[in-house]
Amino acid sequence: AQSVTQPDIHITVSEGASLELRCNYSYGATPYLFWYVQSPGQGLQLLLKYFSGDTLVQGIKGFEAEFKRSQSSFNLRKPSVHWSDAAEYFCAVGGTGNQFYFGTGTSLTVIP
Amino acid sequence: GAVVSQHPSRVICKSGTSVKIECRSLDFQATTMFWYRQFPKQSLMLMATSNEGSKATYEQGVEKDKFLINHASLTLSTLTVTSAHPEDSSFYICSARGDISYNSPLHFGNGTRLTVT
């Protein structure tokens, strides 16, 4: 069955520190992977996506993610976190048809 | 591109009344839109898939008579919460794919915070 797991419910980092948010997926075919960010009371904004090709993908706001097929992972990273990055982050996997599967989200707190 | 507009952003209504939420694709045509519900500190729960010109497809456990979906055009889908009760209070988000490619991402509206008193 298709699923997405985000092991970390909540992460706290200091401003300027590096960040890595974990995402593991289970999907029978080639996955199409996405990271979204949600600010409080807002919808979801697409950060980046992976379909094929280079396994390291660059997104908006300085984020990047690396697809590792052997580990079924698609972790999100940022070298230096800004206070405005505090939000909820969702990993998602999509496939054929209209199916999208979201992880449970990771809440990021940034301390000054 | 691929902007989805959702209205209203917040609505407060009395128990027993109905509320309509609109979802529009502003710069693209969306034959399919999706309606999600999100509880505090939780992930998105797909409620239904809205198909232009045909009936919506509801997920298991979602009451189709309570959550009426109408996708009358390629740019507009509406969700009507009928006879709302306090337990319907939630954050509702719509989304659509920017194009018909099966690997295209979802684009989300900014959500509607519904409070039923």
Side-chain angles (χ1 to χ4, degrees):
Chain A
Q2 296 86 347
S3 66
V4 178
T5 302
Q6 292 180 248
D8 304 306
I9 297 174
H10 186 234
I11 284 182
T12 299
V13 299
S14 298
E15 189 168 17
S18 63
L19 171 70
E20 182 170 30
L21 303 182
R22 295 183 291 167
C23 173
N24 294 96
Y25 67 89
S26 174
Y27 194 75
T30 301
Y32 302 102
L33 298 160
F34 310 87
W35 274 100
Y36 288 87
V37 60
Q38 184 182 32
S39 298
Q42 299 291 312
L44 278 69
Q45 181 184 21
L46 180 68
L47 284 176
L48 47 78
K49 58 189 178 185
Y50 170 78
F51 299 145
S52 63
D54 193 347
T55 55
L56 183 64
V57 293
Q58 302 297 320
I60 62 171
K61 304 185 179 185
F63 285 92
E64 65 178 28
E66 186 171 13
F67 170 61
K68 292 185 177 180
R69 186 185 297 275
S70 61
Q71 298 178 17
S72 297
S73 69
F74 189 56
N75 294 349
L76 181 71
R77 300 194 294 250
K78 186 169 184 177
S80 177
V81 171
H82 189 262
W83 63 266
S84 60
D85 294 324
E88 190 83 16
Y89 290 81
F90 292 95
C91 180
V93 61
T96 57
N98 288 317
Q99 291 299 323
F100 266 78
Y101 302 91
F102 286 89
T104 50
T106 297
S107 177
L108 174 65
T109 297
V110 180
I111 54 178
Chain B
V3 177
V4 176
S5 174
Q6 188 173 340
H7 178 80
S9 57
R10 292 178 181 273
V11 58
I12 301 173
C13 69
K14 292 187 176 181
S15 187
T17 62
S18 295
V19 173
K20 179 184 285 188
I21 302 170
E22 292 188 349
C23 180
R24 294 180 184 273
S25 56
L26 296 186
D27 51 359
F28 66 101
Q29 294 182 330
T31 56
T32 304
M33 292 184 174
F34 306 91
W35 288 96
Y36 290 87
R37 183 173 180 176
Q38 186 180 33
F39 293 99
K41 304 294 185 182
Q42 294 190 28
S43 188
L44 302 165
M45 181 192 80
L46 179 64
M47 299 176 64
T49 301
S50 172
N51 304 298
E52 187 269 335
S54 64
K55 292 183 178 180
T57 304
Y58 290 83
E59 296 299 303
Q60 189 173 9
V62 177
E63 299 178 62
K64 58 183 67 177
D65 294 331
K66 165 166 274 296
F67 299 101
L68 299 180
I69 291 172
N70 185 7
H71 196 148
S73 76
L74 287 172
T75 59
L76 174 64
S77 175
T78 61
L79 168 67
T80 301
V81 183
T82 63
S83 187
H85 288 95
E87 57 265 31
D88 298 325
S89 298
S90 193
F91 192 58
Y92 295 87
I93 313 176
C94 71
S95 68
R97 280 184 132 137
D99 59 55
I100 61 173
S101 302
Y102 62 86
N103 56 10
S104 63
L106 288 176
H107 298 277
F108 289 84
N110 280 334
T112 297
R113 172 73 60 194
L114 170 62
T115 303
V116 184
T117 61

